[in-house]
Amino acid sequence: MNARNVLNADLHCHSVVSDGTLTPEALAERARRGGVELWALTDHDEIGGQHRAAAAAQAQGMGYLTGTEISVTFAGQTVHIVGLGFDPDDEQLKQGLARTRGGRAERAQEMAAGLAQVGIRGAYEGALQFVGNPDLISRTHFARFLVEAGVCQDTSEVFRRFLTEGKPGYVPHRWASLRDAVRWLTEAGGLAVIAHPARYKFTPTEEYALFTEFKAHGGRAVEVVTGSHTAQEAVKYADTAREFGLAASRGSDFHSPDESHTDLGALPYLPGGLKPVWELLEDRIR
Ligand code: AMP
Ligand code: MN
Ligand code: MN
Ligand code: MN
């Protein structure tokens, strides 16, 4: 294993600017306590926390890469594309993200209507109580409300019973295209990473198409080590990274001390024989 693979980089997590429960400052402090050496805050479809996160990382003595996690629709499913190392003031990226966020309020109203049909009233207002950024109401906020209301024990149960395909609070949504997401990030001076690939329910053919098209659009990396992967899944996607000539990323996907299984910095190192994504971003580290 080479020394660069053993860097404690945590390049995926969420703050109150999207569906996390901690501020960028509290996350930076927690990351430093968790031994993180290089950090990125990757709020969903939002980069409003980037200047705060960069300043907080500097105050904690950690390296920082700008980050986001863009919601994309590919082959009828939602895929997440993490972006790293872009200019947080890039206009095209800011507008693209604003458009991607755009339908969330309406979608949330429809979700609440679906939940009302199974007897759960006031879910929209309830979810709003958990929202840190009014532009970014997500399923996670509904999940927190349903736990607080005593409908479910924990957020995983809410997703299983109410918020996934075929369940009463699920509303299909069209997000950004893969091509646009990769282009916005790349043209803003950053690079695109396929987030937690093991989470998608693609057939092998669809997954092959995802990686092939991602690469053709200029995508550069894949998350190999993440809080959403088992050890076997990390091995599988290390092979995929080598097969497609993609660099490898590492991130906890931390959301909340009460909900996340994997804390900031508490991940296995990248397997050897992979190109760490931070080697492609050395000149972007702050
Ligand atoms: P949205 O962007 O509104 O569709 O919400 C997606 C977010 O919901 C993800 O980023 C996760 O934070 C969360 N999520 C998705 N599936 C689950 C699950 N099965 N259990 C807990 N959280 C989930
Ligand atoms: Mn999330
Ligand atoms: Mn994700
Ligand atoms: Mn995430």
Side-chain angles (χ1 to χ4, degrees), residues 85-87 90-93 179-192 217-218 284:
F86 49 80
D87 169 6
D90 182 85
E91 274 309 316
Q92 176 178 252
L93 175 61
R179 173 194 224 102
D180 281 348
V182 174
R183 186 168 55 83
W184 298 333
L185 293 166
T186 307
E187 291 181 2
L191 61 76
H217 294 320
R284 316 294 302 186

Side-chain angles (χ1 to χ4, degrees), residues 12-17 20-34 36 39-43 53 56-57 60 62 252 254-257 263-264:
H12 189 154
C13 69
H14 301 273
S15 77
V16 290
V17 174
T21 62
L22 301 183
T23 61
E25 291 77 15
L27 283 169
E29 200 203 321
R30 195 176 179 100
R32 198 256 308 140
R33 274 194 277 123
V36 172
W39 180 52
L41 171 66
T42 57
D43 280 309
Q60 297 291 341
M62 281 182 301
S252 57
F254 182 83
H255 282 71
S256 159
D263 214 324
L264 287 154

